[in-house]
Structures are given as C-alpha cells and as structure tokens.
Amino acid sequence: MPLALANINEELMIKRIGGSQDLRLHLEKLGFVVGAFVRIITRIDGNIIVNIKESRVAISKEMAMKIIV
C-alpha cells in the first residue's frame, strides 16, 4: 500500500520505493530506504508530515504515493 493511504500514527516498514532515479535518490537522502520504519504524524493541505529515523519530514502526497509500505 502507498504511504499516502496509511493511517495517521501507524508505524510501517518501507518495502519499496518507486519513481524516477532522481526522486529515489532524494528520498534516500531524507532517510526513506527499504527496511526503514515510518510513521505519519499528520496531513496538511495535501502534504504529509512523517517521522522517520527520529526526524520529522514533510513530503508531498505525490512522493508518498511512490513509497510502498
């Protein structure tokens, strides 16, 4: 299931990351790697704020749709 469809405050493991090579590299730099755990904190105006590797990161819904959990 894409991360964008996950419930708030549910901890999930990243299974796959899709999208272009540039997008995957950008997400990797933010800590979104296969096997990492991510938790959605809130949704604001279509953006998603997540907690990953003890950091809070805001990503767009489009990016979140590329992250499979």
Side-chain angles (χ1 to χ4, degrees):
M1 145 178 81
L3 179 61
L5 303 179
N7 295 325
I8 290 176
N9 211 26
E10 181 179 3
E11 187 171 54
L12 302 160
M13 185 174 68
I14 297 173
K15 296 180 181 174
R16 186 169 47 93
I17 299 176
S20 68
Q21 180 66 26
D22 289 339
L23 176 62
R24 289 193 310 267
L25 183 60
H26 176 68
L27 289 171
E28 183 179 328
K29 288 179 182 178
L30 293 174
F32 293 91
V33 294
V34 173
F37 286 92
V38 62
R39 180 187 309 264
I40 295 180
I41 303 299
T42 190
R43 292 181 174 92
I44 300 174
D45 295 330
N47 296 319
I48 299 172
I49 298 176
V50 299
N51 191 9
I52 186 160
K53 296 189 177 184
E54 300 181 23
S55 297
R56 287 191 178 188
V57 178
I59 58 174
S60 68
K61 184 177 181 182
E62 292 78 22
M63 281 186 182
M65 289 298 289
K66 305 289 185 194
I67 301 169
I68 306 302
V69 292

